[in-house]
Amino acid sequence: NNKNNVVIKDYIKQKQHPKSNNNIQEILIGMSTKDIQRIKGKPEYIDKTTKLNIQYQMWSYPKDSSISRLYFKNNILIKIEK
């Protein structure tokens, strides 16, 4: 958990400095769908569902991609599946 906290803190610092934000290439938990799309491009498939006013999305990428699925809650990345 400490490693995740450090990664999230670094990500937040980068978000606070927009000029350096364009250099982010690593996908991290807590990123927005816009951040992911800028880094990885559009997914092959997007599955969406809404439960109790919370929007969930699962983005699927081609099998030759290093990441197969990304899971979002209200447009924030919550899980990475490789």
Side-chain angles (χ1 to χ4, degrees):
N1 276 342
N2 281 343
K3 183 180 178 185
N4 286 343
N5 288 342
V6 169
V7 169
I8 290 170
K9 286 178 184 176
D10 286 345
Y11 173 70
I12 291 169
K13 283 180 189 175
Q14 288 175 333
K15 290 295 282 184
Q16 291 171 344
H17 303 288
K19 289 182 182 176
S20 65
N21 193 26
N22 291 333
N23 297 327
I24 299 174
Q25 292 300 313
E26 184 179 2
I27 293 176
L28 304 171
I29 299 297
M31 286 183 158
S32 71
T33 52
K34 287 182 181 180
D35 290 334
I36 301 298
Q37 200 167 44
R38 184 177 37 75
I39 294 169
K40 186 115 177 91
K42 289 189 175 189
E44 191 170 346
Y45 302 103
I46 297 177
D47 295 312
K48 296 179 182 181
T49 187
T50 302
K51 293 181 183 175
L52 301 173
N53 290 329
I54 299 172
Q55 182 186 44
Y56 295 93
Q57 294 182 43
M58 180 182 74
W59 289 13
S60 300
Y61 285 90
K63 293 188 187 285
D64 62 346
S65 175
S66 61
I67 293 174
S68 60
R69 290 191 181 93
L70 299 173
Y71 298 86
F72 298 89
K73 178 180 175 183
N74 289 332
N75 297 318
I76 300 298
L77 184 63
I78 58 170
K79 181 179 176 186
I80 300 169
E81 195 174 285
K82 297 186 178 194

